[in-house]
Amino acid sequence: MATKKNWNKRTRAVHAGTRRSAYGEVSEALFLTQGFVYPTAEAAEARFEALGEDEFIYARYGNPTVRMFEDRMADMLGYADGFACTSGMAAVSGALMALSKAGDHVVSSRALFGSCLYVLEEILARFGVEITLVDGTDNSAWAAAIRPETTLVFLESISNPTLEIIDLAHVCKLAHGVGAKVIVDDVMATPIYSYAADCGADLAVVSTTKHVDGQGRMLGGLIAGSKELIRGPIEAYLKHTGGAMNPFTAWTHLKALETLDLRVRQQSRTAMAIAEALDGHPKLAAVRYPTHSAHPQHALARSQAETGGTVMTLEVKGGKEACFSFLNALELFTISNNFADAKSIVTHPATTTHQRLPQDQKDLLGISGGLVRLSAGLEDADDLIDDLRTALAAI
Ligand SMILES: *Cc1c(COP(=O)(O)O)cnc(C)c1O
């Protein structure tokens, strides 16, 4: 379905990109098929020569259910096109690999999700790509690192887990000044509050495992960008290397998009309510939520988005030992390593998601023994705050 220009994101999340079969079904159809048939040999030849709008060849290249999801997500994020992938990391690595070659120079913020850092430092570097890591919160560090030969800039708009905020418009301006492309890992900003397109990022990459699924079931990812980039190097790389999303995942994601706005708005409100309730608590050294006044970069966060997403952090006084007794005393929050689930989750990054990071890098990034990442779910905010207060009292 063609999207009207003045539709709000909430409407786009329900209707954009809908394709109906000859049966006129209301709910999006699940085309669980690998291949497609051709009425004649000539028709097959013609389709391999040039693919029409509604034509498909093989599900590794494209599938009607997956295409609906790609069109809807791209439309919501403010981009012309999208390619859906098996996971967030298939999307991140696909975007980076598709746009890199030996001898290139990539600048990235240092505060990254562990697997993103691995792809840059261990994989791209192995193929002769030079990587420069910078403190993403320091505008002058970006200016110093981006050089005429820089080809790509990579960053997380809000970093996981330390919630560093990057001045995205500033970085895009610097990168475009030398002809480099900007890839934004946009997970923490959430698809509802995403500002990657507004700030001029060339590609926005999303782990749809997080807010889009939102109920802890499916792995998925998506790369959004211009038609030239998506149907050019991105599609070419992904369709030949096999990272395309499964139609069943795309179908569950399409249904999940219908409630995305409600869920993300509510979960963001709850995260802010927890930050307000716990700020200044005597057992906590810090409470961080991007748009809350206790976050050192809250002014920048507020200038970029209406709210800071569904994740916040607490710094428990007394290091790992005190922190573990707090975590073990929680009843409602689940100890896990994912986030953006309907169920509220707590994570201890230093011993789980970032366990393997050398101590000096943990220190540099602020991933301390007392740091807790907290993902606000869909439960009642007062029940969650009670659970946190009770567990803090138990330390
Ligand atoms: C989760 C996450 C990813 C990876 O997504 P998967 O779907 O788990 O592959 C990448 N970047 C960030 C910032 C994430 O939070």
Side-chain angles (χ1 to χ4, degrees), residues 87-89 113 116 156 160 185 187 207 209-210 220 339:
S87 68
M89 282 320 301
F113 182 70
C116 296
E156 291 177 15
N160 173 15
D185 182 332
V187 172
S207 164
T209 309
K210 310 290 166 48
F339 62 90

